[in-house]
Amino acid sequence: MKNVQRNVLLNPGPATTTDSVKWAQVVPDICPREKEFGDLMEFCATEITRFVGDPEHYATVLFGGSGTATVEAILSSVIPEEGKILIIDNGAYGKRMCQITAVYKINTVVFKSSSIQALDMAALEEVLNNGEGLTHLAMIHHETTTGLLNDITAVGKLCAQYKLSFIVDSMSGFAAIPVDMKAMNIDYLAASSNKNIQGMAGIGFAICAKTALENIKSIAPRNLYLNLYAQYVYFEKTHQTRFTPPVQTFYALKQAIVETKAETIEKRFERYSRSWETLLEGVGALGLEYLVDKEHHSRIITSIIEPNTAKYDFDEMHDFFFEKGFTIYPGKINNYNTFRISNIGQIDHTDITAFLEVLKTYLVEIDYL
Ligand SMILES: *Cc1c(COP(=O)(O)O)cnc(C)c1O
């Protein structure tokens, strides 16, 4: 196997992949309607389900598209005309869910919350108490905007208590932070191929409770391509997607799944955690601060406050790193000037140590150190 130039991606996905995942895409041309390809997609769907639930009761519906397409597929497909959803918005991705339901004119209640502090559960429960007619609740698992980890277990309990169907976007949590859909009362979970699963970009996963899927059968479709039930039923019957899937990306995904199973999600999270601890220690030693406290941190992406000196410029810092093989990421939160460092993908604490060395050099160059 030929080595491919290795770039250390410190953006929150697409992530650094193994060469075996990259090369898995180089296969003989194949028509995706062939049985061999159907078997490959079936393998992917079942194994993705297994990471978070029992395939007897849960099913993964696959979509060609980025992660947002899958979030849109779920939100546009599962809420009946007379339904009403509460969306927890504590960052850019929660806000995106609200934008989606607004486009589809779905009756929505927004629960706004801090992007850097834990959810106020008492305030949320009060809203649910007064929430006449609520049928669904949607939230982000790990808010990639800041690195805040939301307590989906606690919210899942409330959903069971108030008989709400629970939708979770775990795009940046899935395959690193353990999820148990049954124990957490989750009906629909959104994830994608290019984050912690360490595959290529282009496939979204809607992992659904089969009982929930049966309940949405009678909802009038609001769209064609993104209709969840239609995609589910067609795949169950034919082991094909209704429209052309990203063929080669699926071969990479299969390899990424095999490698995730070999490492295990628990060990992957340990590897990511060690990188994160190395990052926090190093950043602290350089006199920089970060936003979310350790207790509520995902250990997956860290928002670091930008150095407060005249010579600092994010784009210049980006280019300084990029030349040396590191891709860093801008901040995404109002009120704070931050940049973000993610520690997902096929990297480890030694890459973070190398990153910190370059950061130190940059900080000396701008007279911060
Ligand atoms: C990455 C991400 C998405 C999807 O982003 P795409 O660019 O559409 O792949 C959705 N939600 C969260 C929380 C994410 O981190």
Side-chain angles (χ1 to χ4, degrees):
M1 196 168 61
K2 208 175 131 216
N3 286 344
V4 182
Q5 179 188 310
R6 183 168 182 270
N7 292 331
V8 175
L9 299 190
L10 302 175
N11 49 295
T16 298
T17 55
T18 59
D19 281 357
S20 39
V21 164
K22 293 182 191 76
W23 284 114
Q25 298 173 103
V26 184
V27 288
D29 293 323
I30 182 169
C31 169
R33 304 270 175 221
E34 289 301 322
K35 181 173 183 303
E36 181 189 319
F37 193 75
D39 291 346
L40 176 97
M41 286 196 292
E42 169 62 15
F43 170 87
C44 291
T46 306
E47 295 306 323
I48 287 162
T49 304
R50 258 192 244 284
F51 286 130
V52 292
D54 172 3
E56 203 185 316
H57 302 293
Y58 294 85
T60 296
V61 185
L62 301 161
F63 284 96
S66 86
T68 303
T70 298
V71 177
E72 183 163 339
I74 295 172
L75 290 174
S76 63
S77 302
V78 308
I79 301 147
E81 190 64 43
E82 66 284 3
K84 185 167 158 190
I85 188 168
L86 181 138
I87 298 176
I88 298 176
D89 168 5
N90 59 354
Y93 293 98
K95 185 163 175 240
R96 188 176 295 176
M97 281 182 158
C98 300
Q99 289 171 324
I100 292 170
T101 61
V103 167
Y104 288 97
K105 300 193 167 50
I106 291 165
N107 200 352
T108 303
V109 176
V110 182
F111 181 82
K112 270 202 161 280
S113 181
S114 158
S115 298
I116 50 179
Q117 265 153 8
L119 288 174
D120 181 341
M121 293 302 291
L124 177 63
E125 187 156 9
E126 203 178 302
V127 173
L128 295 183
N129 258 323
N130 303 325
E132 217 32 46
L134 280 175
T135 52
H136 293 69
L137 188 152
M139 70 185 294
I140 307 297
H141 183 197
H142 162 217
E143 211 2 301
T144 323
T145 313
T146 51
L148 179 67
L149 185 64
N150 284 320
D151 189 349
I152 53 173
T153 304
V155 179
K157 280 200 185 111
L158 283 182
C159 287
Q161 194 183 326
Y162 287 87
K163 303 208 167 12
L164 302 174
S165 185
F166 190 24
I167 302 164
V168 176
D169 168 354
S170 184
M171 211 67 65
S172 58
F174 178 80
I177 304 172
V179 171
D180 179 337
M181 288 185 67
K182 183 160 190 269
M184 295 170 170
N185 293 310
I186 302 168
D187 292 306
Y188 308 94
L189 188 85
S192 73
S193 55
N194 62 262
K195 290 188 176 173
N196 307 329
I197 195 86
Q198 301 186 179
M200 297 296 158
I203 305 167
F205 323 141
I207 313 166
C208 312
K210 288 183 180 176
T211 50
L213 285 169
E214 285 315 315
N215 285 337
I216 64 171
K217 198 189 299 196
S218 55
I219 298 175
R222 296 183 174 91
N223 47 27
L224 180 73
Y225 191 95
L226 293 176
N227 188 257
L228 187 63
Y229 189 74
Q231 188 82 344
Y232 166 63
V233 169
Y234 191 85
F235 188 76
E236 288 292 294
K237 274 197 195 132
T238 62
H239 285 182
Q240 293 177 11
T241 51
R242 289 174 300 153
F243 308 102
T244 311
V247 177
Q248 287 69 23
T249 306
F250 264 105
Y251 282 92
L253 177 58
K254 181 188 176 185
Q255 181 62 25
I257 288 169
V258 168
E259 293 177 14
T260 303
K261 286 175 67 174
E263 183 174 17
T264 76
I265 288 177
E266 287 72 21
K267 287 271 182 287
R268 179 160 294 178
F269 193 53
E270 277 174 28
R271 174 165 61 84
Y272 286 7
S273 290
R274 175 133 192 231
S275 294
W276 175 73
E277 280 156 10
T278 305
L279 178 70
L280 287 204
E281 210 172 287
V283 160
L286 295 171
L288 295 175
E289 289 180 35
Y290 53 90
L291 277 186
V292 178
D293 69 41
K294 282 190 167 180
E295 198 191 332
H296 303 109
H297 203 292
S298 64
R299 306 175 155 243
I300 279 182
I301 189 168
T302 305
S303 297
I304 300 166
I305 314 261
E306 294 181 314
N308 188 12
T309 69
K311 283 191 188 167
Y312 172 84
D313 178 85
F314 177 80
D315 293 332
E316 275 174 30
M317 179 167 77
H318 168 275
D319 296 349
F320 186 81
F321 275 102
F322 194 76
E323 274 170 23
K324 295 165 185 65
F326 296 95
T327 303
I328 63 169
Y329 212 55
K332 200 175 189 167
I333 179 168
N334 301 334
N335 310 334
Y336 296 95
N337 294 324
T338 60
F339 66 95
R340 286 180 295 172
I341 297 300
S342 174
N343 45 270
I344 68 170
Q346 198 56 42
I347 64 171
D348 67 14
H349 65 100
T350 61
D351 294 300
I352 298 296
T353 302
F355 158 79
L356 288 164
E357 279 303 311
V358 180
L359 181 59
K360 188 173 177 183
T361 311
Y362 176 75
L363 293 177
V364 168
E365 244 177 56
I366 61 165
D367 301 329
Y368 182 76
L369 290 179

